Amino acid sequence: MPEATHLPEPGRTWRRYVAIGDSFTEGMSDPDPTRDNAYIGWADRLAEHLSLLAREAGHDFAYANLAVRGRLLADVIGPQLDSALALQPDLVSMVGGGNDILRPKADLDSIAARLEEAVLRIRAAGADVLLATPVDPADAPLIRHLRGRHAIHSANIFSIAQKHGCYVINQWGLHALRDWRMWAEDRIHMTSEGHRRVALSALSALGHSTDRADWTAPLPDAPVLSRREWATANAAWARQHLAPWVQRRLRGESSGDTVVAKRPELRPVEPR
């Protein structure tokens, strides 16, 4: 394929949007008040915006979300992608590899190559592709030592997008997301406010007007915690979230082993 540096086309609409990925795209921890152990998330919120835009243009719109928490890239670009393409979408968001990067022997070149192959499959099927960089973990107490990996992965995402004409949610450059108030108690998944901002960032990346200040502006200054308060909070987090995660890893289990896709078929979207 020739070089295909992409510039968003203002006002473009889509009719069949399918999201694939892991817990980020499933929507944890943005709880759905209408269902138990279910989440909304940035992709659902983006689908609401896209549905409204399609209706304004006189088109029908349908959306499916095949993402499942804990999934590795092999599942995202394997069974999930197969199922997504079977739905004949015109837009696919694909965010995967984050769980792979956390593994001790992560092969970033292999991750990028497999993502690019998946992008080629989607583009060959006639659909547009929406990718996303990770958030800059510079302020993350557990994974900030992996900042170099996340930076390389972000560069690879942009390189793939430039080469194959994809859209990109630039979370790395969205500094407001580095505020820990945008993150749930597990320090892994975003709050509802974080997901809301990512959805608007995605909408902007797709070429539609947004109030950038609404989703880029930092939150008001938070009270400064003392060293003792931080230590207490870190100890509680380690007991409640880190220890169970380590135990699952030792047992070879995933948080999504018994979870299925929340929206496996294309269905219309009603605004909340």
Side-chain angles (χ1 to χ4, degrees):
M1 176 181 289
E3 296 296 314
T5 300
H6 187 77
L7 295 176
E9 302 173 20
R12 184 169 184 179
T13 59
W14 290 268
R15 302 185 186 188
R16 300 167 68 87
Y17 166 39
V18 180
I20 60 177
D22 51 31
S23 59
F24 172 56
T25 301
E26 183 186 346
M28 298 175 71
S29 297
D30 180 9
D32 186 338
T34 67
R35 297 179 296 160
D36 293 333
N37 193 33
Y39 302 94
I40 303 170
W42 71 270
D44 288 21
R45 294 172 181 274
L46 173 62
E48 293 176 14
H49 291 295
L50 296 180
S51 177
L52 179 60
L53 291 167
R55 289 183 181 185
E56 291 175 348
H59 304 312
D60 293 330
F61 180 85
Y63 162 63
N65 189 321
L66 311 180
V68 175
R69 66 196 75 167
R71 292 296 191 258
L72 297 174
L73 184 61
D75 184 80
V76 175
I77 65 173
Q80 283 190 31
L81 181 55
D82 292 341
S83 297
L85 294 179
L87 297 174
Q88 298 181 319
D90 57 7
L91 175 65
V92 176
S93 64
M94 178 174 60
V95 186
N99 291 320
D100 301 72
I101 291 174
L102 297 177
R103 306 243 160 178
K105 297 182 180 180
D107 186 337
L108 297 177
D109 291 335
S110 174
I111 290 172
R114 288 184 289 159
L115 277 172
E116 185 169 15
E117 290 175 2
V119 166
L120 287 170
R121 285 188 62 195
I122 299 170
R123 298 294 278 148
D128 288 315
V129 184
L130 175 63
L131 304 173
T133 72
V135 176
D136 184 352
D139 304 316
L142 181 64
I143 62 171
R144 60 188 172 194
H145 68 286
L146 298 178
R147 191 185 189 202
R149 290 188 184 184
H150 286 80
I152 292 171
H153 185 59
S154 296
N156 288 338
I157 291 292
F158 277 115
S159 297
I160 293 168
Q162 183 184 53
K163 185 175 181 181
H164 301 293
C166 306
Y167 302 91
V168 179
I169 307 170
N170 182 14
Q171 294 190 104
W172 187 274
L174 186 48
H175 296 294
L177 293 179
R178 289 169 57 175
D179 188 320
W180 278 107
R181 290 171 291 174
M182 295 286 185
W183 297 82
E185 289 184 357
D186 63 7
R187 304 183 182 181
I188 298 174
H189 303 107
M190 291 181 188
T191 61
S192 298
E193 175 62 11
H195 281 284
R196 185 190 72 84
R197 292 186 182 227
V198 171
L200 290 171
S201 177
L203 187 64
S204 178
L206 290 171
H208 289 277
S209 297
T210 62
D211 179 358
R212 291 187 63 87
D214 180 37
W215 53 273
T216 62
L219 295 174
D221 291 341
V224 178
L225 297 181
S226 68
R227 185 172 299 179
R228 182 174 182 178
E229 289 172 324
W230 266 116
T232 300
N234 289 337
W237 168 77
R239 288 193 307 270
Q240 298 171 17
H241 301 288
L242 178 60
W245 180 79
V246 171
Q247 290 169 3
R248 286 196 302 270
R249 287 290 304 273
L250 293 175
R251 294 193 299 264
E253 298 174 354
S254 167
S255 58
D257 284 345
T258 60
V259 179
V260 297
K262 65 178 181 180
R263 196 181 176 100
E265 299 177 352
L266 285 166
R267 301 199 309 269
V269 174
E270 295 297 331
R272 297 180 188 279

